[in-house]
Amino acid sequence: MTGERDRESETEAETIARKSRRLETARKRTTASPWRGLGMFGLVGWSVAVPVVAGIALGIWMDRHWPGRVSWTLTLLVAGAALGALNAWFWVQREGRDD
């Protein structure tokens, strides 16, 4: 009984070690596929688009409630674009480190 149990646990340990080695090899062997590039393109696009659209929406609301000489919509559009550019730069830098 004990011999069987030792063999089973050894087999499990070997299986885990083999799968771990395969996973590590697969991580090292990542190739730049068109799908990965397309996904990164989408990620960067969304990381810019969301702050810009949010800035515009907030700016329109602020212009309706507090009209003035300065257009809040344009101001927050520029702020959203700047924030989106920083966000996109962050994501590109992060993905670049993994390669």
Side-chain angles (χ1 to χ4, degrees):
M1 203 46 125
T2 310
E4 270 184 320
R5 187 177 272 174
D6 288 341
R7 254 184 300 179
E8 284 177 7
S9 65
E10 254 185 307
T11 305
E12 280 184 51
E14 289 172 356
T15 302
I16 291 170
R18 181 177 47 82
K19 287 184 178 184
S20 176
R21 285 190 303 270
R22 283 180 52 200
L23 181 63
E24 189 64 34
T25 303
R27 283 184 180 156
K28 288 179 183 176
R29 195 179 350 136
T30 55
T31 58
S33 74
W35 292 111
R36 184 172 184 210
L38 190 61
M40 188 64 181
F41 184 72
L43 178 70
V44 169
W46 279 106
S47 68
V48 173
V50 170
V52 169
V53 171
I56 291 171
L58 182 62
I60 290 171
W61 181 82
M62 288 176 73
D63 278 339
R64 286 186 184 156
H65 286 74
W66 298 295
R69 279 185 31 199
V70 177
S71 170
W72 287 108
T73 303
L74 292 176
T75 303
L76 292 178
L77 172 112
V78 171
L83 181 64
L86 286 172
N87 196 12
W89 177 78
F90 167 77
W91 281 107
V92 169
Q93 291 297 317
R94 182 175 176 191
E95 287 297 314
R97 269 186 262 145
D98 293 341
D99 290 338

